[in-house]
Amino acid sequence: MEWLAQLMQTWGAFIQTIRFTDILDVAVIAYLVYRLMLFASRSSTANVAKAILVLVIALWVSDLLQLHVVNFILGRALELGFLALVVIFQPELRRLLEQLGSNQLKRFFIREEAASEIETAIDQTVAAYTALSKDKVGALMVFERKNLLDDAIATGTALDCSVNAELLKNLFWNKAPLHDGAVIVRGGRVVGAGCMLPLSGNVNLSRDLGMRHRAGIGVSERTDAVVAIVSEETGAISVAVGGMLKRHLAPETLERLLRNELIREEETDKAKPSFFSGLFKAKKGGDGDGTQQQDAE
């Protein structure tokens, strides 16, 4: 038991040397690292970060096994890779610096999405879509989640305002200059209008499917965004998630889908099967069973 007493004595002496400023220092660094990791997970950087980790492990293994040529190549690749990261992550770094240099600094330290703002955005969206559907005015709204849509926002007009039903009806009015593009919502606020979205690469889509729906499906295929669409021809309301399209939704159903996809994830922040996912349990891409319902623009 002497070794145990000696160990406790050593630890006791070590603990006595710890100051409050040391604890504060570690806590601040730990929190900053956590926020940076959370920031990376909300963008498209997660896969790149995994690739970097693989390269670092490979570099360590090559050094351990004395694979000099492999170690040299990996070392040079990592050195050049850090320069390339500045170019690859330019939108994310710019957004971070803009927040640090503006009155939105608190968004870096606190949770970006406020549940109350998202609830208001959903209510206003449902109200606007009800009117747009009745008047057969086409609309395309993208609710951003973890995957950032900075590239799409850059193609349109950057905004920063609350989601408002009257604003949406004016943006999507068929004589408005921004009506052909998409409105992008981030954290319950409109951050872009008139934005161009990538079209779906699914060759099995119906030929009757319009560009608005193809764009909505396309962005939902590439990101985890929730897309709400109003058909200009029929006035039908549709929602696209994960490359799947559900059409002919009543306003009440639209509200329920948006709340399940946006608010529940905000509250739980866990990877659980969503309500929308339950509507599409069948294999993706099947048309005969009705799992992928399509609507002409």
Side-chain angles (χ1 to χ4, degrees):
M1 299 296 293
E2 293 182 0
W3 66 272
L4 182 59
Q6 185 178 3
L7 179 62
M8 294 181 63
Q9 184 179 3
T10 303
W11 275 100
F14 174 74
I15 293 175
Q16 290 178 358
T17 62
I18 299 177
R19 300 171 300 175
F20 174 76
T21 53
D22 296 329
I23 299 176
L24 181 62
D25 192 19
V26 173
V28 169
I29 295 299
Y31 185 72
L32 288 176
V33 171
Y34 164 74
R35 292 303 307 179
L36 288 173
M37 292 177 64
L38 186 62
F39 176 80
S41 67
R42 288 180 50 79
S43 66
S44 58
T45 63
N47 292 333
V48 179
K50 293 177 183 178
I52 294 175
L53 180 61
V54 171
L55 288 177
V56 171
I57 294 175
L59 182 65
W60 174 74
V61 172
S62 65
D63 182 63
L64 186 65
L65 299 178
Q66 296 185 352
L67 303 176
H68 301 296
V69 177
V70 175
N71 185 267
F72 174 80
I73 295 175
L74 290 177
R76 301 292 81 78
L78 282 176
E79 290 178 3
L80 296 175
F82 284 114
L83 296 177
L85 289 179
V86 177
V87 179
I88 296 174
F89 297 147
Q90 186 269 339
E92 287 81 1
L93 292 174
R94 179 179 177 180
R95 178 167 170 260
L96 175 62
L97 292 175
E98 286 177 350
Q99 288 184 2
L100 292 175
S102 68
N103 57 1
Q104 297 179 345
L105 177 64
K106 63 180 182 179
R107 292 189 179 184
F108 178 74
F109 294 98
I110 63 176
R111 196 169 185 84
E112 290 188 11
E113 297 177 337
S116 59
E117 283 188 318
I118 298 176
E119 288 182 359
T120 302
I122 292 174
D123 293 338
Q124 293 296 315
T125 300
V126 172
Y129 269 44
T130 301
L132 294 172
S133 175
K134 182 182 299 183
D135 297 335
K136 294 185 179 180
V137 176
L140 177 60
M141 283 186 68
V142 182
F143 291 87
E144 181 187 81
R145 291 200 279 188
K146 291 184 178 180
N147 299 137
L148 299 181
L149 300 172
D150 291 333
D151 292 341
I153 295 172
T155 64
T157 301
L159 301 174
D160 185 13
C161 57
S162 301
V163 178
N164 182 275
E166 297 302 321
L167 171 66
L168 295 178
K169 287 189 285 187
N170 279 278
L171 287 174
F172 291 124
W173 179 51
N174 57 13
K175 297 188 182 300
L178 302 177
H179 80 280
D180 277 335
V183 168
I184 298 179
V185 178
R186 170 183 293 164
R189 297 182 64 82
V190 176
V191 293
C195 302
M196 299 295 103
L197 303 178
L199 299 181
S200 173
N202 188 349
V203 297
N204 295 320
L205 294 178
S206 170
R207 289 190 173 186
D208 295 332
L209 201 60
M211 298 294 289
R212 182 174 287 111
H213 290 78
R214 290 179 180 272
I217 296 174
V219 72
S220 72
E221 289 173 344
R222 293 167 172 80
T223 70
D224 61 350
V226 178
V227 187
I229 309 165
V230 176
S231 171
E232 190 171 356
E233 289 189 359
T234 65
I237 300 174
S238 307
V239 172
V241 177
M244 307 301 298
L245 184 70
K246 182 70 175 179
R247 67 170 188 171
H248 294 310
L249 302 178
E252 298 79 10
T253 308
L254 171 65
E255 180 179 4
R256 185 169 67 252
L257 291 177
L258 293 179
R259 286 184 177 276
N260 277 278
E261 289 294 335
L262 300 174
I263 296 181
R264 188 178 67 176
E265 181 181 85
E266 175 69 19
E267 292 175 347
T268 61
D269 199 26
K270 295 179 180 179
K272 294 182 178 179
S274 65
F275 175 84
F276 194 95
S277 301
L279 296 175
F280 306 107
K281 292 183 179 179
K283 185 180 296 184
K284 183 177 178 181
D287 293 330
D289 55 25
T291 56
Q292 181 172 314
Q293 300 185 43
Q294 302 165 353
D295 183 31
E297 181 177 337

